[in-house]
Amino acid sequence: SPDEENRLIYAIANDVTERKKMDEIIRHQAYHDTLTNLPNRRLFKDILSIELALARRSSQRLAVLFLDIDKFKYINDTMGHHTGDLVLQQVGIRLRSSLRASDTVARMGGDEFAMLLPTANNSNGAITTAQKILKIIEKPLEIAGQTLLLKASIGIAMFPEHGDEINMLMRRADAAMYAAKRRKAGFIFYDHTIDQE
């Protein structure tokens, strides 16, 4: 009967819509961090590869920043993982709000975040952004009735001077971040002396 046919068509259409929705969710989860909803390492690398190709073609520079929250383990250990998760979510929101629409912020895992500034044509742009980020991270954070004061360390690697391919830029931004942590310096640009530390 026409009624049964309509019901069947509706059921199939419904099924297809549900499946599409599921596909979108799965694709989103593959490229985004579930806690902060920011791009994950995989998506960050994809975006970086595109931006690198553009920068190469137009002889532009770009900056990769790695950020780590200082003493995050202490927050997790003393206040619990739930509070730690809330801190990470807030840090994600603060980072997103302090960058331009053309910039990318991603959560790399743990308390490590990465940022890509595709229009940082000189180190001053990267410095200004790093200072702005550190300032916004250090604003008191109200969580679970407590005020937390966070600090962060940032490492910066510039294309092309610190590397001309994805993994090298990411490795060097990461190395600079750990150097910034050791030196309690806030932020540091990569340089070859870091490898000797």
Side-chain angles (χ1 to χ4, degrees):
S1 77
D3 263 6
E4 274 172 7
E5 271 176 38
N6 284 342
R7 261 204 300 276
L8 188 62
I9 289 166
Y10 177 75
I12 291 168
N14 213 15
D15 202 41
V16 169
T17 308
E18 285 304 308
R19 217 169 270 152
K20 265 195 184 143
K21 236 183 259 169
M22 272 308 296
D23 283 349
E24 276 168 30
I25 290 166
I26 289 164
R27 197 172 316 123
H28 185 83
Q29 284 176 346
Y31 287 100
H32 289 81
D33 168 56
T34 47
L35 181 66
T36 59
N37 206 28
L38 291 171
N40 60 15
R41 180 182 291 270
R42 187 172 163 190
L43 182 52
F44 184 81
K45 285 179 88 166
D46 285 353
I47 295 168
L48 178 54
S49 78
I50 293 163
E51 291 293 354
L52 264 178
L54 292 171
R56 257 189 221 107
R57 204 173 311 143
S58 54
S59 304
Q60 299 268 323
R61 295 163 81 199
L62 61 76
V64 175
L65 281 65
F66 268 43
L67 174 144
D68 193 77
I69 303 163
D70 297 343
K71 300 185 173 72
F72 182 73
K73 190 181 177 319
Y74 177 77
I75 294 171
N76 257 343
D77 292 348
T78 58
M79 300 173 79
H81 287 279
H82 177 66
T83 303
D85 285 351
L86 293 174
V87 167
L88 293 172
Q89 286 171 339
Q90 288 305 312
V91 167
I93 290 165
R94 287 181 174 190
L95 291 176
R96 185 62 271 163
S97 72
S98 58
L99 297 176
R100 293 165 303 187
S102 57
D103 301 333
T104 300
V105 57
R107 181 174 173 223
M108 304 308 266
D111 60 322
E112 197 165 297
F113 294 82
M115 285 143 287
L116 168 60
L117 317 179
T119 52
N121 275 327
N122 55 44
S123 48
N124 291 343
I127 290 169
T128 306
T129 302
Q131 288 170 333
K132 188 175 167 188
I133 287 166
L134 291 174
K135 205 172 270 162
I136 206 163
I137 294 288
E138 287 170 17
K139 276 189 182 160
L141 188 58
E142 300 289 330
I143 284 184
Q146 285 182 290
T147 303
L148 296 180
L149 298 172
L150 302 177
K151 277 196 172 305
S153 300
I154 296 174
I156 307 169
M158 301 283 299
F159 166 82
E161 52 265 53
H162 301 137
D164 62 357
E165 57 90 36
I166 297 170
N167 291 323
M168 186 182 280
L169 278 169
M170 286 174 64
R171 242 192 345 267
R172 289 182 163 174
D174 199 40
M177 180 191 76
Y178 281 106
K181 231 182 206 345
R182 282 192 302 274
R183 300 177 194 173
K184 298 182 170 36
F187 69 89
I188 280 180
F189 278 89
Y190 174 81
D191 74 69
H192 291 292
T193 64
I194 286 169
D195 301 328
Q196 273 83 63
E197 275 182 25

